[in-house]
Amino acid sequence: MTQTQQILVTGATGTVGRQVVAELLARGHRVRALTRDAAKAALPDGVEVVEGDLTEPDGLAPALEGVTGLHLITFGGAAFTPLETGPRILELAHAAGVGRVTVLHGGGPTPLEDAVRADDALDWTVLMPVEFMANALEWADGIRAAGEVREPFVSRLSAMVHEGDIGAVAAVALTEEGHAGQEYVITGPEVLTVDDKVRILAAAVGREIALVELTEEEAVAQWRAAYLPEDVIGFLLEAYGNTPEVGRTVSGTVEKVTGRPARTFGQWAAEHAGAFR
């Protein structure tokens, strides 16, 4: 058991942030959660919720008081633009006595992550998860309404990761020795095609789900109809049509860091089956 510590989690209401909070609580640590709107946070009992904005770091000093570890995201504000405030955030963290920092990788170089990596006085860890299992929730409407999933590149491979496992790796890195200067690629325990995912979801939901393969042109039309920005559409075409090796290779990081196997998509599907019914 590690000694109880106080950790500040930024992005605490996001897909990963909520899991970091939950894992830290489960491990007996005190959690302070930063959010821009405390009234809408809906975080578990026992979490100290404080309001703040990473785009305005000078107001963060009170939130950092007494904190030993800090979980950071690289985007901020209502528009989720890359944060340019990393140096000031880290200056305040040093002044507060923060010793450990995790930063959730944003898919490419970002000013905040660059600032963290350049800080030799902090024990920092970069978390680099591949595709989230939670992305499958994008299929929920189509499954509920028509019993189908409509996707391009259905043979693409993904070592998708349970968002709870990202939180678990973060919690360990924030509270235990031995993770300073590490860059952790976080994956699930298996490599799946879209067909595999649909089959596993169907078993969890208890109904047949058809997989309709879209052409590239049909997929672009579908994404535009959903009002996805053109840069996001371009990213999806590249990520799905030419998935990099890192996204389709099991890393073993979860078991190495936490001491337990990574959770499967079958486990995730059972946990979330209600969303597809």
Side-chain angles (χ1 to χ4, degrees):
M1 293 294 291
T2 58
Q3 184 178 4
T4 299
Q5 299 171 53
Q6 179 149 293
I7 311 298
L8 177 64
V9 179
T10 70
T13 60
T15 300
V16 173
R18 288 187 181 277
Q19 298 298 327
V20 178
V21 168
E23 286 286 341
L24 288 167
L25 286 176
R27 292 168 180 269
H29 298 289
R30 291 173 293 144
V31 180
R32 186 176 290 160
L34 187 77
T35 177
R36 287 183 290 121
D37 188 348
K40 296 180 180 178
L43 289 165
D45 292 341
V47 176
E48 180 188 357
V49 180
V50 296
E51 289 192 346
D53 192 329
L54 294 176
T55 65
E56 301 175 2
D58 287 340
L60 299 179
L64 287 162
E65 287 183 11
V67 165
T68 58
L70 171 62
H71 175 70
L72 287 171
I73 54 176
T74 59
F75 296 84
F80 297 98
T81 54
L83 287 163
E84 302 279 354
T85 53
R88 179 57 176 154
I89 293 170
L90 296 179
E91 181 183 349
L92 291 168
H94 284 300
V98 174
R100 297 192 182 107
V101 171
T102 55
V103 57
L104 183 65
H105 184 65
T110 54
L112 186 139
E113 184 180 317
D114 290 344
V116 171
R117 287 176 179 271
D119 195 321
D120 295 330
L122 281 174
D123 288 349
W124 55 261
T125 307
V126 176
L127 310 173
M128 305 182 71
V130 298
E131 180 186 4
F132 296 177
M133 291 181 183
N135 288 359
L137 290 170
E138 296 169 1
W139 298 338
D141 287 346
I143 290 173
R144 288 195 304 265
E148 66 180 21
V149 169
R150 301 173 61 83
E151 283 286 311
F153 310 112
V154 297
S155 62
R156 68 180 186 264
L157 299 174
S158 173
M160 62 193 322
V161 61
H162 193 301
E163 52 273 17
D165 285 338
I166 307 170
V169 172
V172 171
L174 285 164
T175 59
E176 298 182 14
E177 298 285 348
H179 307 283
Q182 296 298 310
E183 186 180 272
Y184 285 141
V185 175
I186 310 172
T187 75
E190 56 197 345
V191 179
L192 302 173
T193 65
V194 177
D195 186 62
D196 293 329
K197 298 173 196 177
V198 171
R199 173 179 47 79
I200 291 167
L201 271 177
V205 174
R207 65 176 289 191
E208 290 188 8
I209 301 173
L211 175 58
V212 179
E213 183 168 17
L214 302 178
T215 65
E216 225 175 283
E217 293 74 18
E218 289 170 334
V220 169
Q222 178 173 284
W223 293 331
R224 283 176 177 156
Y227 301 104
L228 292 187
E230 290 300 315
D231 60 332
V232 173
I233 291 174
F235 170 80
L236 291 175
L237 287 173
E238 178 62 23
Y240 290 171
N242 188 26
T243 304
E245 185 175 357
V246 69
R248 48 186 167 84
T249 303
V250 173
S251 69
T253 295
V254 174
E255 187 161 9
K256 174 185 172 184
V257 173
T258 70
R260 61 160 179 76
R263 284 168 272 200
T264 66
F265 186 61
Q267 289 173 281
W268 184 95
E271 293 165 6
H272 296 84
F276 301 90
R277 293 189 177 121

